[in-house]
Amino acid sequence: MANEAITKGRHAELIAITALLANGWTVMEPTAPDVYDLGITRPGSTEFHRVQVKMARLRHKDGTDWVVVNGTRNNGEYYGTDEIDYFIGVHDGVAYMFKNRGLSEYWCKPSELDERWTRLDASITNLSEAI
């Protein structure tokens, strides 16, 4: 069971990396374990952002479907805005990026995903437009 969670987490990270690269980001992974999963920057920029990647889940509450991304570590502690700049939630194989606001969960209606969170198109044809 633990191995399955690790595999799913790594799969989400690889989807996020592919989507970030296709959108013109330079992606770095920490050599030693750190709070963030990925570091990102734009070519030619000195601005560095820390990203936490999470699998999104579908939740049905009060008659409404929601896409939910957990904003906490395994021990329940929130990711502080001084530790993580952005989350990438992977839902149905698509990466969505949004700013860390220090919440325990981030909720979005599936119909509003493209409006509220930044969809990262991972197609290779997107790369020529991004660079």
Side-chain angles (χ1 to χ4, degrees), residues 34-38 48-52 71 73 77-86 100:
D34 209 315
V35 175
Y36 62 93
D37 292 322
L38 305 171
F48 178 80
H49 304 285
R50 297 153 303 172
V51 178
Q52 180 60 239
R73 298 173 176 84
E77 289 182 25
Y78 295 50
Y79 288 100
T81 55
D82 59 333
E83 301 173 299
I84 301 296
D85 301 305
Y86 293 98
N100 177 17

Side-chain angles (χ1 to χ4, degrees), residues 33-125:
D34 209 315
V35 175
Y36 62 93
D37 292 322
L38 305 171
I40 60 172
T41 189
R42 292 283 189 187
S45 174
T46 58
E47 195 172 349
F48 178 80
H49 304 285
R50 297 153 303 172
V51 178
Q52 180 60 239
V53 179
K54 297 284 190 176
M55 287 292 298
R57 65 188 186 281
L58 195 59
R59 187 181 222 169
H60 189 78
K61 184 175 180 181
D62 300 328
T64 303
D65 286 332
W66 298 91
V67 174
V68 181
V69 174
N70 190 5
T72 60
R73 298 173 176 84
N74 290 339
N75 65 6
E77 289 182 25
Y78 295 50
Y79 288 100
T81 55
D82 59 333
E83 301 173 299
I84 301 296
D85 301 305
Y86 293 98
F87 282 98
I88 292 181
V90 177
H91 175 64
D92 283 343
V94 178
Y96 294 91
M97 189 162 81
F98 53 91
K99 199 148 189 63
N100 177 17
R101 299 187 333 256
L103 304 176
S104 63
E105 292 182 324
Y106 297 84
W107 293 53
C108 186
K109 293 179 182 176
S111 62
E112 297 174 356
L113 279 172
D114 290 342
E115 297 167 28
R116 296 194 48 218
W117 297 348
T118 302
R119 180 188 179 109
L120 298 173
D121 182 353
S123 64
I124 198 70
T125 56

Side-chain angles (χ1 to χ4, degrees), residues 5-17 29 37-38:
I6 292 169
T7 300
K8 284 182 179 180
R10 185 59 180 159
H11 186 195
E13 289 173 4
L14 292 171
I15 290 170
I17 290 168
E29 291 184 276
D37 292 322
L38 305 171

